[in-house]
Structure formats: structure tokens, C-alpha cells
Amino acid sequence: MNLPELGAFLRTRRDRIRPAEVGLPQGPRRRVPGLRREEVAQLAGLSADYYTELERGSAKNGVQPSAQTLAALARALRLNGDERDYLFHLAERPGPPPAHGPSAHVQPALLGLLDRLSNTPARVITDLHETLVENDLARNLLGESPAHRGPAASFVYRWFTDPQARERYPPEDHPHHSRVFVADLQAAAAKRGRDAEVTKMIAVLRRRSQEFAALWDAHDVAVRRMDHKKIVHPTLGIIELDCYNLLSEDGRQRLLWFTAPPGSPGAEQLELLSVIGAQNLGITEGTAPEGLSAAESGSQP
């Protein structure tokens, strides 16, 4: 592991990022144009001391960043694909996470836009509806995303296999959402081609859900770009919002955000979200949906 080169690379990437680009205040006493070490550590979920040792490139304290740590740093420093690969190369670690799945490297352009949506519920998801990152308002509106792996990481998968996934939407709207989800998944599967991940998910869904199987056999195909939704919030009741999607260039990731016309009841309810805080919608992070085997959920023993 080339720790001096790794530290130098991290330092140059830190210096180029302005605080506003990652949602941090500029502050009146900032001596450096880029981020401080402790700010990078905070964004990556690391201790300031650990990141400082890593950037200094010293091996005396046994600093050996894991693949998970490198992925977190790549996200915090807004590295593009080439820079992320170079970071893993310097650390002599196996290739970075794939371009899809819940551990995917979030595309910097989408992450930058998410940082600017501080007053709007927003999240970045994959084409299989796996949440990659979200802001506080999205968690306040929709609840904490469960920490699943495998097919169960997909909200579309949970929609058809776990009744709790539907509790945030009025029952009369369920048929509409089912059709939209399946049509969107059809489009994702077509773009991915012979992809093992999506093939496995579709096969399991066809076995577990007659509703999914019937909709899949209808062969409706449509990428979801906009929808009108009613969200059942445990404190605010039903919130009517418009949901928009901005797709990445390759279609594998999308920025999803919720908004409402100014002066509407939905707009007023959105303003209250930041005051109320996150609500527990009955989903426990890290647990598999009822009736889901460990193999299907991808849960770790």
C-alpha cells in the first residue's frame, strides 16, 4: 500500500472542494479554500484522528483503510469513477463497489444536487429502487431505509413481498404503484440485459407474488420520471406531493425528490417535516421482511 501517495491524493482532492458544494457553511474564519480534515472525516463517517493519519501517509499507527472506508471517502470527496478507481489502486484494494446495488458509488453530479436540496425530501436510488443516500427530510417523510442486501434492498422487491412496505401509501393507490413499479423494472431489466442481479430478483418475485407475475406478463414498459403520490405520515396524515426523477446518463441511478405547489396543503406539511423529525413507520433497520429467507434477503449471519 502506497500510503504517502494515498495521503497526497486525498489532500489534493480535499483542497479542491468548497464547503458549499457538500452542504457545509463557509464560515468567517476559514483559512483554507477547501475542506478541513475534520469535515472530510465527518462526511465519510470516520474519526478525525484516523483521517488525519491516513492523509499524512504514515504507517506507524497501522493505518490500513478497508474497501468500505475507501468507498466512504470517495463519496465524501465527490470522486468521479476514474478517481475512485485510482484511490482503490493506491490502497491496493480490490476493485471498488459495482455501479449498482446498495453499496454503489453515488454519481457525484447527483450527490451534488442532493446537497442543494436541503428544504426538499430527496434521495438517490438505483434503477432497482435501492436507496444509496438520502437527506433528513426524506427520512422524515418516508422513514429510515432498512439496511438490507440482496433482492430485499430493493423497495420494489419489498413492495411485493412485505406488507409493511405499503403502509406509507393509501390502499386505494396500491394497484397504481404496483403497475408503475413493474413497468419501471421492465425498463431497467431491458437496459441491463443478462444481468444476474435483476434476473434473480424477477425470478423470486414471480414465485412469491401472483400480483407481480401477472403485471410482469402484461409487458408494460415505462421509466418512471414523474408521479403524483399520497404519503401516509404517522403524524401529519396524508400528504399529497409530486415526485420527480432525474436520471443519470447511464440510467443506473436517479435523484428522486418530492415537492408541492406553493400555498398548497402539501407545501405546508413539508415545512412541518423538519420540525417534527424522523418518524418510525414500523420498519426496523436490518431485519428481513416477514417470510423472507436469509438467502433471499441477503442478510449476513
Side-chain angles (χ1 to χ4, degrees), residues 54-299:
L54 190 61
E55 193 174 289
R56 286 175 177 170
S58 173
K60 64 179 181 179
N61 293 325
V63 176
Q64 297 286 325
S66 65
Q68 291 80 5
T69 296
L70 296 172
L73 286 170
R75 178 178 297 182
L77 293 169
R78 304 301 192 260
L79 302 187
N80 61 34
D82 294 334
E83 292 169 330
R84 176 202 57 191
D85 293 347
Y86 184 63
L87 177 66
F88 275 73
H89 168 72
L90 290 175
E92 296 181 359
R93 295 298 184 190
H100 49 79
S103 62
H105 177 67
V106 182
Q107 298 199 15
L110 297 184
L111 197 55
L113 287 172
L114 178 67
D115 289 334
R116 288 163 172 75
L117 295 175
S118 58
N119 297 320
T120 302
R123 57 176 36 161
V124 178
I125 65 175
T126 71
D127 55 346
L128 299 186
H129 294 253
E130 302 152 321
T131 298
L132 302 179
V133 63
E134 59 190 343
N135 62 18
D136 289 338
L137 280 177
R139 284 186 286 269
N140 295 354
L141 177 66
L142 302 171
E144 193 79 28
S145 296
H148 294 312
R149 293 188 179 276
S154 165
F155 182 69
V156 174
Y157 184 92
R158 298 195 304 276
W159 177 266
F160 289 101
T161 60
D162 178 14
Q164 283 189 331
R166 302 192 177 200
E167 291 180 355
R168 66 193 71 183
Y169 298 101
E172 62 270 20
D173 293 348
H174 291 180
H176 165 75
H177 292 307
S178 294
R179 290 192 299 271
V180 170
F181 283 140
V182 174
D184 190 75
L185 184 60
Q186 284 272 19
K191 288 183 178 180
R192 289 198 181 201
R194 298 182 180 275
D195 182 277
E197 181 184 15
V198 71
T199 299
K200 175 184 177 182
M201 189 170 82
I202 292 168
V204 176
L205 280 173
R206 288 179 66 89
R207 289 200 311 268
R208 291 180 57 85
S209 171
Q210 293 182 353
E211 180 190 18
F212 176 86
L215 290 170
W216 188 262
D217 290 339
H219 296 288
D220 291 331
V221 183
V223 175
R224 186 183 68 170
R225 293 180 172 87
M226 186 273 177
D227 203 354
H228 185 77
K229 290 190 173 187
K230 297 176 183 176
I231 308 295
V232 180
H233 190 274
T235 302
L236 299 177
I238 294 180
I239 309 175
E240 290 199 40
L241 301 169
D242 293 321
C243 176
Y244 294 94
N245 291 260
L246 176 65
L247 275 65
S248 62
E249 187 175 352
D250 61 4
R252 290 292 187 96
Q253 296 181 10
R254 61 184 72 174
L255 174 66
L256 181 153
W257 74 97
F258 295 86
T259 186
S264 67
E268 296 176 0
Q269 289 167 307
L270 284 181
E271 291 182 2
L272 291 173
L273 274 178
S274 59
V275 179
I276 291 175
Q279 300 292 330
N280 184 354
L281 297 185
I283 297 177
T284 303
E285 183 172 352
T287 60
E290 183 178 356
L292 191 64
S293 69
E296 290 175 342
S297 70
S299 299

